[in-house]
Amino acid sequence: MMNKKHTLIDAVTSLRPTAKWECFGYEYSGLNWLDTEQTKPTESEVNAEITRLDAQWIADEYKRQREYSYPDYGTQLDYIYHNGIEKWKTDIVDPVKNKYPKPS
């Protein structure tokens, strides 16, 4: 499992997607807020958002593993054409879902 460390830029973009700002470096002190309609997020809000984004990345690992395990769409559609939906589910979908289960 790969741990992704999100950045200040990721967090600010997530918190205020339409805001106008610029960043000099990777520290909160380099965040220059240009938006007059939206408030600048606090450093605590930014750090909390980085933590949330990192946790979401880890929680979604199974999705990325599944994505890379499924055959391409053309192969899957061909399989459905020749074998039907139910066979596709049992032969292609279920093994991947069982190998990489969704966390509870």
Side-chain angles (χ1 to χ4, degrees), residues 1 7 9-10 16-17 19-20 22 29-30 40 43-44 50-51 59 62 69 71 73 78 90 101:
M1 172 174 38
T7 66
I9 294 168
D10 299 323
R16 308 284 194 279
K20 296 172 184 74
E22 58 190 2
S29 59
K40 178 180 180 179
E43 188 169 7
S44 294
I50 289 171
T51 300
Y62 80 98
S69 296
Y73 291 128
D78 187 60
T90 59

Side-chain angles (χ1 to χ4, degrees), residues 34-103:
L34 305 172
D35 202 304
T36 57
E37 297 180 16
Q38 298 183 61
T39 59
K40 178 180 180 179
T42 65
E43 188 169 7
S44 294
E45 288 175 310
V46 169
N47 290 333
E49 186 65 5
I50 289 171
T51 300
R52 187 192 73 76
L53 290 170
D54 285 346
Q56 188 62 55
W57 173 266
I58 292 166
D60 289 342
E61 176 68 14
Y62 80 98
K63 292 178 185 178
R64 289 185 296 281
Q65 290 172 324
R66 285 181 179 182
E67 180 182 350
Y68 296 122
S69 296
Y70 287 121
D72 65 85
Y73 291 128
T75 301
Q76 291 187 59
L77 289 172
D78 187 60
Y79 196 90
I80 292 168
Y81 178 80
H82 290 288
N83 302 289
I85 294 284
E86 291 307 313
K87 191 88 168 119
W88 167 75
K89 286 180 186 179
T90 59
D91 292 355
I92 294 179
V93 176
D94 290 343
V96 172
K97 286 188 171 197
N98 290 333
K99 185 174 181 180
Y100 303 109
K102 183 176 182 178

